[in-house]
Amino acid sequence: STDKTPDHEMTNAFVEVCGYPLSIFFIVVNEFCERFSYYGMRAVLVLYFRYFLKWDDDLATSIYHTFVALCYLTPILGAIVADSWLGKFKTIVYLSIVYTLGQVVMAVSAIHDLTDTDMDGVPNNMVVHVALSMTGLLLIALGTGGIKPCVAAFGGDQFEDHQEKQRSTFFSIFYLSINAGSLLSTIITPILRAQECGIHSQQKCYPLAFGVPAALMVVALIVFISGSSMYTKTAPKGNIMLEVCKCIGFAIHNRFRHRSKKFPKREHWMDWADEKYDKLLVAQVKMVLKVLFLYIPLPMFWTLFDQQGSRWTLQATTMDGDFTVNPILILIMVPVMDSVIYPLIKKCHLNFTPLKRMTVGMFVAAMAFVAAALLQLQIDQTLPQLPSGAEGQVKFVNLNNENLSVAIEGTDYNVPPFQVSGDYLTFDKPFNVALTKNNVTKKDNLTLKSQTRQTTLVGPSLDLRMVTDLTRKPEEGMNAVRFVNGFGAALNVSFVGTIEPLDISNYTNIKQGPAEFRITNTGGQSCLYNKQMGFGSSFTFVIPSTFDIQSSNCKQAIQAVEDIKPNTIHMGWQIPQYFLMTSGEVVFSVTGLEFSYSQAPSNMKSVLQAGWLLTVAVGNIIVLIVAEAAQLPDQWAEYILFASLLVLVCIIFGIMSYFYTYTDPAEIEARFALPEYDPEEKKKKKDSIVMEWKDSLKRKVSGSRKRSNSSKGSDKQDNDELKQSRM
């Protein structure tokens, strides 16, 4: 079959099941798989940027929001292609192929073994991974955005005119499939990422986390094509958005041409399009522009909303725990709002109009960011006070059997055998240190590297060895551990390796939970050391010279030094901000779409849909602009800035809403259905008037001639009578 048919549409094989076209089941399954693919990939995208590509928080956030913005810009392109050229079916198929390729490329970009030539678990050519991932994301943005305006409309095309009830039920099931796909993917994909995979080394399994969404997209494409013989495929009829743009462009151009004061003003600037376009189209464009004007402040809501996938995700990496809450809250809050909150407000006789609901939704979203800022303040108190500027930090480990006195700038620190001097000491310039044991003193001058942490090992001859410590929390909630061997012989520690006497190991990342380290000497004897690990901590374990590997209490001799404290704020504290944001979304987004459709002309709902999606794209662009322009040092301050901006926009929107007059598009369109607005009726009426005028004119001419002839006959009779009288 083909999309372009001479009689508007082509139905190949109309099959019904329980009163519904069988074809819609293919469409619903396709949408579920596609949404699983998109949201599953997006759920771990910022983590992929942060931990695989090793980008910092700001760059990861910027690229994430650029991608989301593209996903909401391309629907306009997809709608134009579908309505003006290919038709919905071919547009969905072709762009789904592009979409699938993008997901596959994205999964390939996450294979660390692809460029790991030295087999150490670290890619050697990160440029390849970046290039592949950016190509994949570009294809995904084009695919998911391009099919977004087509799939739901294509599903609606499958119903006959008498199936309005079934069509309404279909849309409910359709949007349920979207939420179901989103919910499952945002739960499953992070679990897949947490697995370890690889050929040469085991790493977080991003290929699996991206590969499963890619596989689901393949399934979506196959399922959709499988129903091809059953679809009703409407032919392209021209895109109304292009017609609207042309109408607006002509009105602006015509108004500019007649800008002189000698031309009379018109009631509305769109009236300057009357010379070329039908009055009904001009009236419909006026209604659309009236709603689009209200859209101007709306992007700020999406600016905050879409940071759930970037800033809030990164905030969660500094917390204790692991769970997903947002999709679950959405499924709960939608029926709660519709069945409980709104009816309760109605019973209280409050005039809670759609625009008032949207204003409340924006304010609630702003409060969500206030909650995020308050939480961030609590998180910041648990984070290590790392050096800044020219500062450096240092602490000392005593690898002697005697007490060690460390005198720094007049302050003495007593360090017992095989223990640490305490918390890090901070210096911003070179300093003198005096080390004393058994009345033997050695002085030295130390210079710390700026913005670094260092541990100084003090050996038996008071010799110093400085090693670099971590200057930030371990990534992805892991725990960094290392061992100092104060024992007189080499020891092997499981997960860590062999450590020579009076030496220190490199850091090894350990997962959250109970950790077991088996310490083995050269004779094969071993001791099991246990430690409960939290999220994001760093430990140095000091093995003393008195360590007895054969003792049942061998593990008690090991000194555990906490370099960086674990995350102590549980992720559950993010629930209030997610609850507020989800409540705001339900009130704002659902109501906004409902309001837009109620105020849109019957043939221009797609124009407002495109405008609505455009606000999402602009909102994500605002994140990039504000984050880059503000350059705030503290994350909580950035949250407060965004909340303040949304409150300001909320006030502006409230004022705009106050002066907005609700209209009934059907009533306005009905006026133009009256005879005086119908061009054909106008022509008939005009022709009738002309005919009547011509008939009237003919009658007048005919009467004038008769009177003239009558006058001539009378004159002749008078002359004859005069002649007779004379005779």
Side-chain angles (χ1 to χ4, degrees):
S1 70
T2 176
D3 278 7
K4 295 187 177 180
T5 58
D7 56 350
H8 174 65
E9 66 181 37
M10 173 71 77
T11 304
N12 289 331
F14 189 79
V15 182
E16 285 193 0
V17 176
C18 300
Y20 292 87
L22 181 60
S23 57
I24 67 167
F25 294 100
F26 293 92
I27 296 172
V28 169
V29 173
N30 166 80
E31 185 65 13
F32 169 82
C33 295
E34 188 275 326
R35 289 292 87 186
F36 186 107
S37 177
Y38 174 73
Y39 283 108
M41 179 275 302
R42 218 176 89 166
V44 297
L45 185 59
V46 76
L47 300 178
Y48 169 76
F49 292 155
R50 180 67 188 82
Y51 300 126
F52 187 92
L53 298 182
K54 304 298 180 183
W55 291 347
D56 60 28
D57 290 357
D58 291 335
L59 181 58
T61 299
S62 298
I63 300 300
Y64 174 86
H65 287 286
T66 301
F67 167 70
V68 175
L70 282 175
C71 289
Y72 285 94
L73 284 173
T74 50
I76 298 175
L77 178 63
I80 293 173
V81 170
D83 292 342
S84 304
W85 182 27
L86 293 176
K88 298 185 186 73
F89 175 76
K90 287 184 178 179
T91 301
I92 294 171
V93 171
Y94 294 162
L95 289 181
S96 291
I97 293 172
V98 173
Y99 191 171
T100 304
L101 288 174
Q103 289 282 31
V104 171
V105 171
M106 196 68 200
V108 171
S109 76
I111 301 175
H112 64 271
D113 293 307
L114 192 66
T115 61
D116 185 15
T117 54
D118 55 6
M119 304 181 186
D120 63 348
V122 179
N124 295 101
N125 192 348
M126 195 61 76
V127 174
V128 172
H129 296 275
V130 172
L132 285 173
S133 61
M134 294 303 101
T135 301
L137 290 177
L138 188 62
L139 294 174
I140 291 170
L142 181 61
T144 187
I147 68 174
K148 193 183 292 289
C150 301
V151 180
F154 186 69
D157 291 343
Q158 307 308 305
F159 294 87
E160 302 289 342
D161 292 338
H162 66 276
Q163 294 180 302
E164 284 295 328
K165 183 178 179 182
Q166 289 91 334
R167 182 187 283 114
S168 177
T169 304
F170 160 73
F171 282 118
S172 298
I173 297 172
F174 183 82
Y175 289 112
L176 178 63
S177 71
I178 293 175
N179 289 326
S182 170
L183 173 62
L184 290 176
S185 66
T186 49
I187 293 174
I188 294 173
T189 309
I191 295 174
L192 297 177
R193 184 194 76 95
Q195 309 305 309
E196 293 189 347
C197 61
I199 300 173
H200 306 306
S201 62
Q202 298 293 300
Q203 306 283 343
K204 292 290 184 182
C205 205
Y206 288 101
L208 182 62
F210 291 141
V212 169
L216 263 291
M217 197 56 222
V218 172
V219 172
L221 180 59
I222 293 173
V223 168
F224 185 76
I225 295 176
S226 299
S228 176
S229 61
M230 304 178 195
Y231 294 139
T232 298
K233 303 169 186 175
T234 58
K237 297 176 293 182
N239 190 270
I240 189 65
M241 284 188 288
L242 294 179
E243 193 69 16
V244 170
C245 292
K246 289 178 182 178
C247 184
I248 294 172
F250 179 80
I252 295 172
H253 176 69
N254 200 28
R255 176 68 184 91
F256 183 76
R257 284 175 52 209
H258 298 84
R259 62 187 181 277
S260 175
K261 292 183 179 179
K262 67 180 181 180
F263 297 105
K265 291 184 178 180
R266 301 190 182 183
E267 184 179 352
H268 192 281
W269 63 271
M270 275 303 303
D271 292 332
W272 289 96
D274 285 346
E275 282 86 342
K276 183 176 180 181
Y277 292 91
D278 182 59
K279 285 186 177 292
L280 174 59
L281 177 64
V282 173
Q284 290 171 328
V285 173
K286 287 180 185 177
M287 288 186 279
V288 168
L289 291 175
K290 188 178 179 183
V291 177
L292 289 178
F293 177 72
L294 279 178
Y295 280 3
I296 293 175
L298 302 190
M300 187 53 69
F301 173 86
W302 301 111
T303 297
L304 276 68
F305 178 81
D306 278 331
Q307 289 190 61
Q308 293 178 98
S310 57
R311 292 299 195 195
W312 285 14
T313 299
L314 293 172
Q315 183 188 61
T317 63
T318 62
M319 303 179 72
D320 180 20
D322 187 15
F323 68 97
T324 301
V325 67
N326 181 250
I328 300 172
L329 285 175
I330 291 175
L331 292 179
I332 294 173
M333 290 305 299
V334 170
V336 167
M337 286 291 181
D338 288 340
S339 305
V340 180
I341 304 299
Y342 292 156
L344 185 61
I345 292 173
K346 190 175 181 180
K347 284 187 177 181
C348 295
H349 303 290
L350 297 175
N351 186 23
F352 202 38
T353 61
L355 291 179
K356 288 180 180 177
R357 293 183 195 177
M358 293 175 68
T359 306
V360 170
M362 295 168 76
F363 181 78
V364 171
M367 293 304 100
F369 261 61
V370 172
L374 294 175
L375 178 62
Q376 188 64 47
L377 285 171
Q378 298 302 313
I379 293 173
D380 289 347
Q381 293 179 7
T382 67
L383 298 178
Q385 299 300 312
L386 300 174
S388 60
E391 293 179 343
Q393 294 180 334
V394 66
K395 62 182 177 182
F396 296 84
V397 177
N398 181 10
L399 297 181
N400 293 270
N401 291 318
E402 303 87 5
N403 287 337
L404 177 69
S405 175
V406 181
I408 303 175
E409 300 294 331
T411 303
D412 292 335
Y413 300 90
N414 185 50
V415 186
F418 300 99
Q419 292 195 23
V420 181
S421 58
D423 291 336
Y424 285 97
L425 305 173
T426 303
F427 299 93
D428 58 2
K429 57 185 179 180
F431 60 94
N432 295 316
V433 59
L435 306 172
T436 304
K437 73 165 185 176
N438 295 334
N439 298 322
V440 176
T441 300
K442 181 179 179 180
K443 295 182 179 180
D444 208 338
N445 183 270
L446 299 181
T447 301
L448 302 179
K449 294 180 181 178
S450 61
Q451 300 183 27
T452 63
R453 281 183 156 186
Q454 293 178 299
T455 292
T456 301
L457 305 178
V458 183
S461 59
L462 298 182
D463 53 308
L464 303 181
R465 180 190 170 191
M466 301 184 75
V467 294
T468 303
D469 298 354
L470 292 180
T471 53
R472 61 182 303 159
K473 275 184 168 287
E475 297 179 344
E476 304 185 71
M478 299 293 281
N479 301 276
V481 302
R482 61 182 179 178
F483 284 78
V484 176
N485 183 9
F487 196 60
L491 295 173
N492 182 275
V493 181
S494 57
F495 307 113
V496 176
T498 301
I499 312 171
E500 297 298 326
L502 304 179
D503 198 4
I504 186 170
S505 70
N506 294 323
Y507 282 107
T508 299
N509 287 331
I510 303 296
K511 294 180 181 179
Q512 180 269 344
E516 291 187 347
F517 303 95
R518 181 164 296 278
I519 304 171
T520 308
N521 62 14
T522 54
Q525 298 170 322
S526 64
C527 168
L528 195 62
Y529 179 69
N530 302 305
K531 180 69 177 178
Q532 181 68 30
M533 294 293 177
F535 287 91
S537 66
S538 175
F539 283 92
T540 298
F541 300 114
V542 182
I543 302 174
S545 61
T546 56
F547 178 68
D548 185 359
I549 202 167
Q550 294 181 320
S551 171
S552 59
N553 296 324
C554 63
K555 58 185 179 181
Q556 295 180 358
I558 298 175
Q559 173 80 13
V561 180
E562 189 178 69
D563 299 329
I564 296 177
K565 294 181 179 180
N567 304 338
T568 55
I569 306 295
H570 195 272
M571 283 187 188
W573 287 106
Q574 279 193 320
I575 290 179
Q577 67 200 53
Y578 273 105
F579 175 80
L580 289 170
M581 183 59 76
T582 303
S583 301
E585 178 200 6
V586 171
V587 175
F588 175 87
S589 182
V590 176
T591 306
L593 287 171
E594 174 192 333
F595 164 77
S596 300
Y597 273 62
S598 70
Q599 299 296 291
S602 57
N603 64 333
M604 294 193 182
K605 298 187 186 299
S606 62
V607 178
L608 287 183
Q609 176 71 8
W612 182 267
L613 295 175
L614 188 61
T615 64
V616 182
V618 175
N620 281 272
I621 293 172
I622 292 174
V623 178
L624 308 180
I625 297 172
V626 174
E628 289 297 322
Q631 292 292 322
L632 297 174
D634 297 314
Q635 186 57 54
W636 67 267
E638 185 178 288
Y639 288 147
I640 292 296
L641 173 63
F642 279 115
S644 302
L645 289 174
L646 185 55
V647 169
L648 177 62
V649 167
C650 184
I651 294 171
I652 295 172
F653 182 76
I655 295 172
M656 293 170 65
S657 303
Y658 179 79
F659 292 101
Y660 181 84
T661 304
Y662 289 84
T663 58
D664 185 355
E667 181 181 336
I668 294 174
E669 290 173 335
R671 294 179 197 166
F672 291 89
L674 297 175
E676 60 263 29
Y677 289 102
D678 190 338
E680 291 296 327
E681 290 294 331
K682 278 186 178 182
K683 187 176 184 300
K684 290 179 183 178
K685 188 174 182 180
K686 183 178 179 181
D687 292 343
S688 176
I689 293 172
V690 170
M691 291 298 294
E692 288 179 8
W693 179 76
K694 287 181 178 179
D695 290 344
S696 175
L697 187 60
K698 286 179 180 179
R699 286 194 297 271
K700 287 180 180 180
V701 171
S702 176
S704 175
R705 287 175 178 172
K706 286 180 180 179
R707 284 194 299 273
S708 175
N709 292 335
S710 175
S711 175
K712 289 178 180 179
S714 177
D715 289 344
K716 184 179 181 183
Q717 184 178 353
D718 289 343
N719 288 335
D720 289 343
E721 289 177 355
L722 181 58
K723 287 179 181 178
Q724 289 177 1
S725 65
R726 285 179 179 175
M727 288 176 65

